[in-house]
Amino acid sequence: MDAPTSVYKAYYGIRQKTDPAYKCVGCAMCNMVCPNDAITPICGDEADKLRYHIDRGGQPRRRGGRRNVAGGILDRLKFIRISMLTDPALDAGRHEFELRTLLGRVLPPEENLKFLRTNGWIPPVREIYPLIIGSMSFGALSPTMWEGLQMGVAYLNEELGMPVRVCTGEGGCPPRLLRSRFLKYVILQIASGYFGWDEIIHAIPEMKEDPCAIEIKYGQGAKPGDGGLLMWYKVNQLIAAIRGVPTGINLPSPPTHQTQYSIEESVAKMIQSMYMAWGFRVPVYPKISGTSTALAVLNNLTRNPYAAGLAIDGEDGGTGAAYNVSMNHMGHPIATNIRDSYLNLVALGMQNQVPLFAGGGVGKTGNLAANAAALIMLGASGVQIGKYIMQAAAGCLGSESDRCNICNIGLCPKGITSQDPRLYRRLDVEDVAQRVVDVFLSFDTELKKIVAPLGRSTSLPIGMSDALGIDDYDAAQRLQIKYVV
Amino acid sequence: MCRLFSITSKEPLSPMVALEALDVMREGHDCSGVGIFLRDLSGPFEEMKDAPILSGIFSEKGLRRLDSFMMDIGFMTKYKITIKVPKQPPPGVPKRDIYLIRAYEYPEEWDDLSQEALYDRLLEIRLQLRLMGEEKNDMIVFSFWPDVIMIKEIGDPMLVAEHLKLDRKELHARVIMAQGRQNTNYAITLYACHPFFIQGYSTMTNGENTAFIPIKAYLESRGFPGYMGYQSDSEVLTHILHYTIKKLGLGIEAYKHIITPLQDGALQEHPDAIFLKNLKQTCRQLIIDGPNCVIGCMPDHSVFMVQDRKKLRPGVVGGKPGIYAFASEICGLDAAIPNRDKNRDFQPMHLDTAIVGPERQEVKIWNQSDPLPLLH
Ligand code: SF4
């Protein structure tokens, strides 16, 4: 038989890739490159089916971002005590304010004055702005993002007189920053991988300034019970050099500090050794993830005369990389953790001695100042933000409906959490710095708009729980605030 | 808002002087109550300066309970003022059985006690009586201290004065503090009525202390039995004064640095910068964040006025050697000391503490940026 003269074949114009590794993350870059603006990512109105398939190779899903749950109790707290006639309301725009907080172990008055008279050791205490940029490591963040944050913070301090502090996260600190005067705006973090500490220790003799403080990370709200997780994609030469590791390997930090088995002994020793490294001039405090055992940790710290505070990172905290299951299901809400801890300190009469710092989802829905003020009135001395500043200062797309959240694999479409110069060049350092300044200035105004009507201006309303109300009876009981409907 | 008046005079004065001054300032208060503090007493009490005087309001039953309680401890009545009130109180004034002012003889066993221990016991007894009274609702105790009388009642101050016949010789005193309003910020109770008193220190306040709740929590956690029972946001101011002087061993000049410290810039320039920075940090929980104008009296009979940083409350001091008064308004001062040199009236501002010492010779103005005299 003759060969057929015509052959019919199906031709696929688009070769679809259905492997989960190629899923659309909603970065919207397609939209930016389409000349006709004809394409845009839209999330289906049904829950994705991808979630059942995203464990290829037997690897559970890992991602960046926050717990994929919208909202939270912080947004429901209202400020109900308004000064009007019993005492004059203050003018948030024109009155003088001093909204500072203390980071460091504050001695009780009797002891402090005695030590002052007798030349005893008074622990170092820093007066800082109550909103802190929490720990995001050099490595998790791109060089442009990190530099932008540092520049913004330096500007806030040196030009605007706002003592804002930024924490390095566990990834060391660039050598030039360690040797610059800007180090005083930086809180150095040490965590279980001790990444970067070789460099830091070696730089100590050459430091012009002491760092603001040392944060010892024992836990993180986004991945309680898990250590840091910098994945190999992001470990390039620069990151490897600063961290003191080979390139191109995963850098999982252990869940716990390997040398530590008891809080009484080894944590105390670690705190003390860090004090020793800087001649007892730098406050050292631990950070833990929100947990039902927070009080046990706190109680121990109250008995350790060196502990300079306690940072608690609630379940809504963000991260650059964690197991999806840790992020979504592990952890403790920050509100009750802070409230219980504060009331515990009150019962001990130590509410001014061990400052508490709250983090984890602060400003998650955009209400940064309101969330921060609520936590302060519940008892926090200050709050830490991470994800919020990525969203506000660099346009992070991540959301609680699981958009993007690929910070862990170094493909950040915005260049925030990528180590690939082709991506991180998308981020302009100056723009980030500018936005950091914007965020703090507007936060400051909003915070004043909250505290001024409460009649407060000369001190932060730490523990001013009479100003708080909520429309949920059980929550009000639990937090010991007013139930209002 | 309430109105305050205080006078310190070489010659003993009737409490009516203060109440009349309050009356002149009545536009600024609502006449809902009155509180009077008398010290450096004359008349019968002149002879018994050391005898502790119990002031309070009792029901018949309460009085019986008081008597047996005091007797058990070994206190003997030395002198008392009996205030007989008409059967029917004026409108707005509650009906009470007994307004008690009674001086006691210390129990013999107390003879060897140190002054400190003695004072702690007096406080303890006052607190015990207060708790007993709260339990059965039959006694209210304002003070139990040598050379101090306190009277408080709900109602129009002038009507109360007439009802209690306060214009009597036995009540003449050289230091008088008075205030003309019930507390309106929290529940109406006599324990919320100014002036407040603890172990020889007394203050009254105009304005609301917005940081009340955290301060209350802080004082209550100091482990000192007297720091309790806060019914008014102003009461903490008395206790902070006590804490400043008795617990921290500082002088009256430090009081302002604690309740309303200098801002950081000014602090750095202060000659005692290091001390003050420490004080500000360690006493952070005691910053009042007013607006408040505080008038107070110290055990040495000096009287002072201090304004907070906001200086949103009125306050003036004036007089002449031998007699000085502190008032919320100048008209109050005019009513009490009309023939003074008005050019020398002084309205303390946001940095000032005005003090008239026990000699009553001058008004000392102490500015917060001045070096502290207390560091010895
Ligand atoms: S934009 Fe970048 S930082 Fe934000 S969620 Fe995506 S990958 Fe992470």
Side-chain angles (χ1 to χ4, degrees):
Chain A
M1 218 165 85
D2 288 344
T5 50
S6 36
V7 177
Y8 297 93
K9 275 195 217 162
Y11 170 73
Y12 297 98
I14 299 173
R15 198 174 301 274
Q16 262 191 308
K17 286 182 178 163
T18 51
D19 187 290
Y22 294 97
K23 68 168 181 147
C24 171
V25 298
C27 70
M29 286 304 132
C30 49
N31 168 291
M32 291 180 76
V33 295
C34 175
N36 299 338
D37 203 12
I39 184 168
T40 188
I42 293 177
C43 194
D45 55 6
E46 211 188 318
D48 67 272
K49 300 291 182 297
L50 192 74
R51 62 186 65 185
Y52 306 111
H53 302 280
I54 205 148
D55 52 3
R56 291 294 148 99
Q59 281 283 6
R61 182 181 179 205
R62 286 159 295 181
R63 64 174 178 92
R66 289 199 193 100
R67 192 166 73 105
N68 279 330
V69 176
I73 196 152
L74 295 182
D75 276 345
R76 293 168 56 198
L77 294 164
K78 320 166 203 269
F79 308 105
I80 54 167
R81 188 195 179 290
I82 309 298
S83 300
M84 266 168 300
L85 300 170
T86 55
D87 61 304
L90 304 172
D91 183 335
R94 278 168 284 208
H95 198 83
E96 58 170 22
F97 286 84
E98 193 167 58
L99 301 172
R100 300 278 182 269
T101 196
L102 301 180
L103 167 57
R105 183 58 167 258
V106 182
L107 295 177
E110 290 86 346
E111 225 168 275
N112 192 312
L113 298 186
K114 185 175 131 212
F115 287 180
L116 206 55
R117 272 197 311 272
T118 56
N119 272 334
W121 180 67
I122 296 172
V125 175
R126 309 282 195 233
E127 284 194 16
I128 62 172
Y129 196 73
L131 182 67
I132 299 166
I133 301 181
S135 41
M136 291 180 289
S137 71
F138 190 86
L141 296 186
S142 65
T144 39
M145 182 65 189
W146 224 74
E147 204 183 330
L149 292 181
Q150 300 292 343
M151 274 171 56
V153 167
Y155 188 88
L156 284 164
N157 277 280
E158 309 212 334
E159 298 297 324
L160 300 177
M162 289 171 77
V164 174
R165 299 294 178 260
V166 52
C167 181
T168 58
E170 182 196 21
C173 187
R176 271 181 53 205
L177 180 55
L178 286 173
R179 290 166 180 80
S180 76
R181 71 169 196 276
F182 303 111
L183 186 64
K184 59 177 180 281
Y185 310 137
V186 175
I187 297 170
L188 295 172
Q189 190 189 71
I190 184 164
S192 55
Y194 304 116
F195 293 124
W197 274 80
D198 198 38
E199 180 70 44
I200 293 175
I201 298 291
H202 280 106
I204 290 180
E206 291 158 33
M207 285 180 186
K208 289 194 191 66
E209 295 272 357
D210 288 332
C212 166
I214 310 298
E215 179 176 278
I216 308 177
K217 178 188 134 184
Y218 292 102
Q220 183 182 341
K223 43 188 162 185
D226 227 346
L229 181 64
L230 191 69
M231 294 177 74
W232 64 269
Y233 315 86
K234 295 167 79 170
V235 187
N236 64 14
Q237 250 178 350
L238 177 64
I239 304 301
I242 290 176
R243 295 195 172 207
V245 293
T247 52
I249 53 160
N250 275 335
L251 296 180
S253 303
T256 175
H257 293 249
Q258 293 302 296
T259 49
Q260 295 183 347
Y261 296 97
S262 88
I263 183 164
E264 284 81 5
E265 194 205 340
S266 28
V267 173
K269 271 189 193 151
M270 181 151 186
I271 291 178
Q272 224 164 318
S273 329
M274 298 313 294
Y275 263 102
M276 219 126 58
W278 275 273
F280 292 83
R281 299 185 309 269
V282 178
V284 182
Y285 67 92
K287 165 177 160 176
I288 59 169
S289 63
T291 160
S292 57
T293 56
L295 284 190
V297 176
L298 179 64
N299 276 330
N300 201 275
L301 296 179
T302 59
R303 293 189 283 272
N304 174 347
Y306 296 97
L310 175 64
I312 306 180
D313 191 14
E315 61 174 352
D316 283 337
T319 179
Y323 281 88
N324 186 51
V325 68
S326 306
M327 226 187 288
N328 279 355
H329 301 283
M330 307 291 296
H332 195 290
I334 188 62
T336 43
N337 250 179
I338 280 293
R339 189 70 181 138
D340 292 351
S341 299
Y342 177 76
L343 292 174
N344 182 61
L345 289 174
V346 168
L348 296 171
M350 297 182 75
Q351 58 269 51
N352 193 37
Q353 292 176 44
V354 185
L356 300 167
F357 290 86
V362 186
K364 181 173 157 179
T365 50
N367 306 316
L368 181 61
N371 290 177
L375 284 164
I376 288 169
M377 288 176 214
L378 287 173
S381 278
V383 293
Q384 299 186 331
I385 47 163
K387 180 78 173 173
Y388 182 92
I389 205 78
M390 293 172 33
Q391 293 175 307
C396 162
L397 297 156
S399 76
E400 282 60 64
S401 47
D402 208 15
R403 186 170 180 185
C404 197
N405 285 349
I406 52 164
C407 333
N408 54 326
I409 54 171
L411 291 179
C412 174
K414 293 289 188 176
I416 304 167
T417 55
S418 168
Q419 300 305 334
D420 183 340
R422 288 170 303 179
L423 291 172
Y424 69 65
R425 268 191 222 126
R426 290 178 182 176
L427 203 59
D428 185 285
V429 175
E430 312 258 333
D431 285 350
V432 173
Q434 169 75 57
R435 287 292 301 140
V436 169
V437 174
D438 289 349
V439 167
F440 275 86
L441 288 180
S442 69
F443 172 86
D444 197 57
T445 304
E446 286 201 339
L447 190 61
K448 286 176 189 165
K449 285 280 175 198
I450 294 170
V451 300
L454 306 178
R456 302 296 300 266
S457 66
T458 47
S459 75
L460 211 58
I462 300 169
M464 189 184 176
S465 53
D466 54 324
L468 288 179
I470 191 168
D471 60 357
D472 177 323
Y473 183 75
D474 293 327
Q477 293 291 99
R478 181 67 183 77
L479 294 172
Q480 299 187 28
I481 57 175
K482 288 212 178 74
Y483 167 54
V484 285
V485 279
Chain B
M1 220 191 282
C2 54
R3 286 293 177 260
L4 313 173
F5 183 84
S6 169
I7 191 158
T8 170
S9 151
K10 227 165 72 200
E11 297 310 320
L13 298 171
S14 157
M16 291 313 289
V17 174
L19 294 181
E20 275 152 18
L22 277 186
D23 199 45
V24 174
M25 300 188 280
R26 70 186 303 147
E27 272 172 24
H29 63 91
D30 59 8
C31 297
S32 58
V34 60
I36 304 171
F37 168 90
L38 307 169
R39 157 173 272 165
D40 203 351
L41 305 167
S42 72
F45 294 105
E46 187 93 65
E47 313 300 315
M48 46 184 102
K49 289 271 179 198
D50 292 332
I53 303 167
L54 183 69
S55 314
I57 301 178
F58 292 76
S59 72
E60 301 283 0
K61 237 172 78 210
L63 190 66
R64 280 197 296 279
R65 289 211 299 147
L66 169 78
D67 284 342
S68 74
F69 176 82
M70 294 303 269
M71 220 115 89
D72 283 351
I73 307 175
F75 276 104
M76 303 290 283
T77 304
K78 199 168 179 177
Y79 181 81
K80 66 174 180 223
I81 297 182
T82 320
I83 299 185
K84 279 209 190 75
V85 286
K87 281 244 154 11
Q88 205 47 46
V93 179
K95 194 166 159 39
R96 316 271 192 192
D97 290 348
I98 298 130
Y99 293 87
L100 186 93
I101 296 163
R102 187 186 275 176
Y104 284 97
E105 192 101 55
Y106 282 114
E108 261 171 40
E109 306 86 84
W110 288 27
D111 283 354
D112 302 331
L113 289 183
S114 67
Q115 181 103 67
E116 211 58 23
L118 196 76
Y119 284 176
D120 282 345
R121 289 220 187 161
L122 289 181
L123 173 75
E124 216 175 281
I125 289 173
R126 175 172 66 82
L127 298 181
Q128 252 172 312
L129 287 172
R130 174 173 171 162
L131 291 179
M132 281 166 63
E134 277 170 344
E135 202 183 307
K136 297 232 162 91
N137 228 346
D138 57 0
M139 23 177 144
I140 306 171
V141 185
F142 304 127
S143 59
F144 183 41
W145 204 255
D147 202 19
V148 166
I149 292 175
M150 290 183 90
I151 299 163
K152 297 181 184 183
E153 188 51 285
I154 298 168
D156 185 305
M158 289 315 266
L159 292 180
V160 170
E162 206 176 303
H163 180 54
L164 302 184
K165 300 191 190 58
L166 294 184
D167 191 13
R168 57 176 80 200
K169 210 130 186 103
E170 301 111 293
L171 289 179
H172 284 203
R174 295 179 187 86
V175 176
I176 303 171
M177 303 208 303
Q179 181 268 152
R181 193 188 75 171
Q182 257 298 319
N183 185 304
T184 49
N185 300 333
Y186 296 88
I188 299 263
T189 134
L190 279 184
Y191 282 126
C193 178
H194 313 212
F196 300 99
F197 178 82
I198 186 165
Q199 289 198 322
Y201 298 87
S202 181
T203 70
M204 54 189 182
T205 313
N206 183 359
E208 185 161 13
N209 166 13
T210 43
F212 172 50
I213 294 296
I215 297 178
K216 167 179 179 286
Y218 191 73
L219 286 169
E220 282 170 345
S221 62
R222 293 308 86 202
F224 181 72
Y227 300 157
M228 56 79 80
Y230 299 103
Q231 304 276 355
S232 157
D233 54 299
S234 296
E235 189 165 13
V236 296
L237 285 152
T238 319
H239 293 190
I240 298 173
L241 177 66
H242 177 269
Y243 184 71
T244 306
I245 291 168
K246 299 292 284 184
K247 300 286 163 190
L248 301 184
L250 302 173
I252 179 69
E253 300 82 4
Y255 183 52
K256 182 154 173 51
H257 280 292
I258 290 179
I259 56 173
T260 164
L262 287 174
Q263 295 215 321
D264 287 344
L267 200 72
Q268 270 157 22
E269 274 153 32
H270 197 284
D272 300 308
I274 295 178
F275 173 81
L276 290 178
K277 187 162 171 256
N278 273 275
L279 193 67
K280 182 176 179 181
Q281 292 181 348
T282 189
C283 293
R284 171 169 66 152
Q285 222 71 10
L286 297 175
I287 298 176
I288 54 167
D289 225 338
N292 288 122
C293 169
V294 186
I295 295 179
C297 180
M298 311 274 286
D300 71 351
H301 302 176
S302 51
V303 182
F304 67 90
M305 173 184 279
V306 59
Q307 287 283 5
D308 86 325
R309 175 99 200 154
K310 296 189 178 111
K311 178 58 182 92
L312 288 168
R313 292 298 179 197
V316 61
V317 50
K320 52 191 176 181
I323 183 165
Y324 285 94
F326 299 74
S328 292
E329 289 176 29
I330 294 180
C331 60
L333 202 55
D334 287 346
I337 316 176
N339 52 350
R340 66 186 193 282
D341 179 358
K342 291 186 188 174
N343 291 324
R344 310 201 60 164
D345 287 358
F346 183 76
Q347 304 195 23
M349 286 293 140
H350 68 295
L351 293 173
D352 299 322
T353 307
I355 309 165
V356 174
E359 330 71 42
R360 306 172 175 104
Q361 287 308 307
E362 55 171 347
V363 182
K364 266 187 256 157
I365 305 299
W366 182 78
N367 185 296
Q368 206 171 358
S369 36
D370 291 345
L372 288 166
L374 49 97
L375 305 174
H376 32 70

